[in-house]
Amino acid sequence: MRRHFFIWAKTDRYRISRRGGGPAWNPLLAHALDTAACVAQLWDRYLPLTAWARLADAFGGGREDTARRVVMFLAALHDLGKGSGCFLHMFGTSRWDGPYLRQARAEWERQARAAGLPLGKDLDAQPGARHEHITAVHLPRLLGCTCEDCGGTGSPSAGLHTTAALLGGHHGDIPSPDTIGRAAMAADITEWLPIYSELIQDTADLIGVDLAALPQLVTPERPSALVLFAGLVILADWIASDESHFTYRTLTTSPPAWWNASGMQARAAVTRLRLDAWQPEPAADWTDLFPDTRPRPFQSAAMAALPATGPALVIVESDTGSGKTRLALYCAHHLAVTCGYQGLYMAMPTRAASNQTAREIATFMDRALGEQNTANLAVVHATAEATDFVHQLLNAGRTRTQAALDGLEDFISTPSPDDPLQRRAVLSPWYLRRCLGLIAPFAIGTVDQVALAAQPSHHWMLRMFGLAAKTLIIDEAHAYELFQQGLLEAAIAWLADAGASVVVLSATLPTAVRAALIRAWCDGHRAPVTHTDQTGPITVVDQHGTITRTGRTNNAGRSSQSDGTAPAELHTFIDFQPDPGSAALAAQLMDEAAKGGVSLVIRNRVATAVDLYRAATHYAQRHGWSPREIVLLHGQNLPRYRLPGEDLLIRRLGPGKDRTHRNPGRPHRLLVIATQVAEQSLDIDFDRIYTDLAPIDVLIQRRGRVHRHQVNDSSRPEVFGKPLMTVLTQPGADELPMVEPANPGEARSRGNPDGHVYPPYLLAATWYALIQRAREDGTVQLTTPADTIPLIEEVYGPKLTAVGPLGKLLDRTALRLQSDHRNEEGQSLSRAFRPYTRRGRSIPVTDLASGKSHGSGDSNGIAGIRAISRLSEPPIDAILLYKQPNGTLTYDPSGQQRADLVRHGAHSPARHRQQKDLLLNTASLPAHWFTGINALPLPETWPIVPRAALRNRYVGLLNPSTGACITGPIGITYDPVTGLTK
């Protein structure tokens, strides 16, 4: 037997191998072959044509078949550094290892020493380094580099050193040159060289790689090739490390038999995980995908403008409810046909918006999957498991897996017309793991995932790899701060370099933002921007930088049109009213809708929304209302109570199943008081809207909820016959609205806290832009899309000028905004990776180093360096449970739902139910609650609740009678209706 056979890669910590009659450890060569086999399956079944092209240039001299084998071989060597005393000594030493492994270690060590492994006298006293870093330091020499660092006198093989560094990052962080250099002491190359060489030669012989030709073939220079290679290796390693898919190999069988088993088990694993690229029907047209509508003119124009081949950037600017989402899905289908993408990811501004749109994607998949029976649809955000929809997908996945085992897959694949979950969308629990949601062929989640993919966060390469094989759809593009815009531009440049496609949706998009997105796309393709004099709401940019603008700007339409046509324009009437205070405003709202009507009030802050709700419910009986006719919706409520409320509103105020008739569940009268969660991607229709003053793009978005569904027009109360939106202002001096928060340092004892939510300049500029358009009766008639671009450019373009107090207000707030913008731009530039420098040079692998100091995309990492998706301090997530008088912990104050806090198996249905319940009781505590006067105690100081399911979680216990916190974040109170208060 060769010595390297005794280098172990996995030990049977969970006794899976033992239960199947297998050995206690798996040889490194066996795991290497499993990983190579997974690469082969992913290459053939998952990677798009664009990824093949990038990897062929980087690892095969332009030949795809050669690159496939080379990448398989290189991926197989990712764990080479496990051939070192500092790694091998860990056999049986973990506190999780029982007597079984400790006994097995003694036998393994005896055999390994007898075979000649250079383990040293004391295996437990070896110099330490991470095994992936040992791989990175020694692999270039072993593969043929003859530079001085590799013990020779020749020129360095940059490709081999780059590839070794990428393999050194397969645990999530690409190491720096210093980190790699320090690993040299952990495995003496003079002792290990012949053993490594034997292993490498055996691996090359089995896979079919010519080692002599390798240095000339491995030339990864294009930035996206680095990310594609790293992501592919990580994914293949994760699959190959799953002991439910791969068995340990015994030394009584030969490596060729191992290689044969690896191929069969890899094929089964990829099949079980449904990691097959989307296989759309090329001949499918709009009516095949959306049989209930015909394409509208702007949709038809966009379809005609899509390139026949190659990737594209598509920017769609159209009114809320006009059909942008369907157009984006059509584009993704077309691009999957022409470019071979394995799926799509839809990035949404909020979790609530993701949950709502996920069902629409499931419906689309039912018609768009072609010959595929099923595909995974992942919902990617922190509380995904709290939603019923995700659990329906999980249950559908379990049902189909069992049916396939029973030979019933064809029988159950026929969709049921009454099934609310389109039967071809499923979800494997595997995709609930960190970062893996982006690997699923179809996925929807928050835009944070895209923002983190371009930063040095843990496993950023895997995030980018998942996106690079898809069409990325960015919804509500206007809703992101400048910092996020900068991160999105960096991600778009990477995706363009990788050959992916991007679709951007927005009701309102400033010219500067559109230009920045186009510039990022062209930078990624290293193509000049080819300007055009064309106009229109549809912008299509191909891989050569050629811009096409098209689409009729006067035909946006509303979603309820049954025949696909739309009215020429949408008219909304806007008036202004000083905010009279919660009590007076509540009385006005209830009196106005006394005879019927569905009204919405959107407040910029949770506190003002709660105040208005309390006033309305307090005075409801006096005005002839029932408290049940008043609904509060905001983000500072536990998902256990907020999600059912959102679903109820969608069912009652949405278009209904039959879009040609009024929703039969629509109430006669209802008052909804909400924050921004009501304005984004919730397809709900109101007769009347009130809103706090907000930036113009936000107001245009909010007005999309008034008279949204034309099918309701004939039944609206007479008083709400025209679409009216009242903008509430806080009166200030000189008849101007108060837009700045209080600041004693600037002699402002009074102020508007909304200025902490939105930049005061944008609030003042929006008010000024609208008031200038006021008619004699004081109202503004907003006509979209005709007024959209002029208003957006007026507010977001060059600073507005005025005289007197207004001019001073605009000047003062504009200076603050410019300073904030410079800070945000600087932050995005300093944090994000970009594929090319400003001079057009490819970024080297040494500049892609990441590490724990950068964080994992959450709240850890060094301040100022950590990877974040939003500049504001992230909230603290805490599980809130009720402690009953007898000591029992429950999810609800009444004590009817006892909390399940025991430990369950990793992927068992019981654990998924448990995690859903815990997420439903997880609150996001604002970061500013932990600073300043009356600050909450820091989470690190909270008492530990000794329950298995609560390990490493922040937990607060509540008094079931009062809702006051008695353990943990002392100082908060929770009410199931009004939410959290401090």
Side-chain angles (χ1 to χ4, degrees), residues 574 576 696 765-782 786-792 794-795:
I574 298 175
F576 297 88
I696 186 63
T766 295
W767 176 83
Y768 183 42
L770 289 174
I771 211 71
Q772 284 184 305
R773 289 168 167 77
R775 304 180 298 181
E776 290 185 2
D777 62 357
T779 64
V780 177
Q781 183 173 350
L782 176 65
D787 291 337
T788 299
I789 294 177
L791 280 169
I792 292 292
E794 187 171 346
V795 173

Side-chain angles (χ1 to χ4, degrees), residues 319-624:
D319 263 342
T320 298
S322 63
K324 294 191 298 294
T325 299
R326 288 193 170 190
L327 175 57
L329 295 175
Y330 177 89
C331 291
H333 183 277
H334 168 87
L335 293 163
V337 170
T338 58
C339 300
Y341 298 136
Q342 44 94 328
L344 64 87
Y345 178 73
M346 177 165 273
M348 309 296 292
T350 64
R351 297 173 185 177
S354 302
N355 298 336
Q356 164 73 3
T357 309
R359 293 184 179 274
E360 188 168 353
I361 293 180
T363 302
F364 169 76
M365 288 170 60
D366 191 48
R367 304 184 183 108
L369 281 180
E371 296 182 357
Q372 291 169 275
N373 276 333
T374 59
N376 280 292
L377 169 59
V379 181
V380 191
H381 58 71
T383 59
E385 278 192 88
T387 63
D388 290 334
F389 179 70
V390 167
H391 284 265
Q392 291 173 19
L393 292 171
L394 290 168
N395 291 335
R398 281 191 286 268
T399 300
R400 287 186 171 281
T401 299
Q402 186 58 48
L405 294 174
D406 296 339
L408 300 175
E409 179 75 13
D410 291 337
F411 175 75
I412 71 164
S413 63
T414 303
S416 168
D418 299 324
D419 192 344
L421 175 65
Q422 302 303 315
R423 295 287 295 274
R424 302 175 82 177
V426 299
L427 181 60
S428 165
W430 192 71
Y431 296 99
L432 295 174
R433 292 173 59 187
R434 184 177 192 85
C435 299
L436 283 175
L438 295 182
I439 298 301
F442 293 85
I444 180 172
T446 55
V447 75
D448 303 68
Q449 298 296 326
V450 184
L452 291 172
Q455 296 181 78
S457 60
H458 196 51
H459 280 120
W460 72 271
M461 310 88 76
L462 188 61
R463 278 192 174 95
M464 188 63 75
F465 171 77
L467 294 172
K470 293 178 169 66
T471 294
L472 168 65
I473 302 171
I474 302 174
D475 197 16
E476 308 281 12
H478 66 278
Y480 307 126
E481 61 187 9
L482 186 62
F483 171 72
Q484 290 174 301
Q485 293 284 359
L487 298 178
L488 292 178
E489 290 165 23
I492 288 173
W494 277 103
L495 296 176
D497 188 61
S501 290
V502 180
V503 180
V504 179
L505 308 179
S506 180
T508 55
L509 202 63
T511 298
V513 175
R514 185 191 315 112
L517 295 174
I518 294 172
R519 185 171 58 253
W521 172 264
C522 292
D523 287 347
H525 281 288
R526 290 176 289 181
V529 178
T530 305
H531 294 284
T532 178
D533 294 331
Q534 300 168 335
T535 61
I538 307 298
T539 303
V540 178
V541 191
D542 65 15
Q543 59 188 323
H544 307 295
T546 302
I547 300 175
T548 301
R549 296 200 66 186
T550 185
R552 289 170 55 186
T553 59
N554 64 341
N555 206 341
R558 283 185 280 187
S559 60
S560 60
Q561 293 292 94
S562 61
D563 60 357
T565 63
E569 295 175 331
L570 292 179
H571 300 272
T572 306
F573 297 90
I574 298 175
D575 64 4
F576 297 88
Q577 174 184 323
D579 190 341
S582 295
L585 180 59
Q588 176 183 335
L589 292 164
M590 289 185 286
D591 289 344
E592 185 179 52
K595 295 182 179 180
V598 181
S599 301
L600 169 67
V601 183
I602 300 182
R603 314 237 62 166
N604 293 337
R605 293 179 294 116
V606 172
T608 51
V610 171
D611 287 345
L612 179 59
Y613 173 80
R614 285 175 171 161
T617 53
H618 178 75
Y619 294 110
Q621 187 173 3
R622 181 184 303 178
H623 292 271

Side-chain angles (χ1 to χ4, degrees), residues 723-766:
L724 178 62
M725 179 171 73
T726 294
V727 176
L728 300 168
T729 61
Q730 300 298 320
D734 302 307
E735 299 183 348
L736 297 177
M738 187 184 302
V739 296
E740 297 172 284
N743 187 342
E746 297 180 1
R748 287 200 310 273
S749 58
R750 294 178 58 246
N752 183 356
D754 289 357
H756 292 303
V757 180
Y758 298 113
Y761 172 79
L762 296 181
L763 297 178
T766 295

Side-chain angles (χ1 to χ4, degrees), residues 132-295:
E132 64 267 29
H133 300 160
I134 299 174
T135 299
V137 74
H138 290 319
L139 192 60
R141 173 188 300 207
L142 295 164
L143 296 183
C145 180
T146 59
C147 72
E148 184 177 352
D149 289 341
C150 292
T153 58
S155 300
S157 173
L160 293 179
H161 281 276
T162 293
T163 302
L166 294 172
L167 291 175
H170 75 266
H171 277 282
D173 294 302
I174 296 174
S176 67
D178 289 342
T179 300
I180 295 173
R182 286 194 298 271
M185 65 178 182
D188 188 337
I189 191 61
T190 58
E191 293 184 328
W192 284 96
L193 178 61
I195 302 171
Y196 290 154
S197 298
E198 290 174 1
L199 189 152
I200 288 172
Q201 187 64 60
D202 285 354
T203 306
D205 290 343
L206 288 167
I207 295 175
V209 170
D210 181 3
L211 290 177
L214 200 66
Q216 289 72 43
L217 292 173
V218 180
T219 57
E221 296 179 356
R222 191 167 191 157
S224 61
L226 310 184
V227 175
L228 289 168
F229 174 79
L232 179 58
V233 171
I234 293 171
L235 179 58
D237 179 36
W238 282 12
I239 299 171
S241 298
D242 191 332
E243 295 174 15
S244 67
H245 300 307
F246 292 87
T247 56
Y248 287 3
R249 311 290 187 246
T250 63
L251 298 182
T252 56
T253 55
S254 64
W258 297 357
W259 181 225
N260 184 57
S262 294
M264 292 189 296
Q265 292 179 358
R267 187 178 305 109
V270 171
T271 298
R272 186 174 179 184
L273 294 173
R274 296 182 177 90
L275 276 168
D276 288 290
W278 187 5
Q279 300 165 27
E281 177 58 51
D285 60 17
W286 180 276
T287 54
D288 293 322
L289 301 176
F290 311 108
D292 57 333
T293 62
R294 299 198 311 269

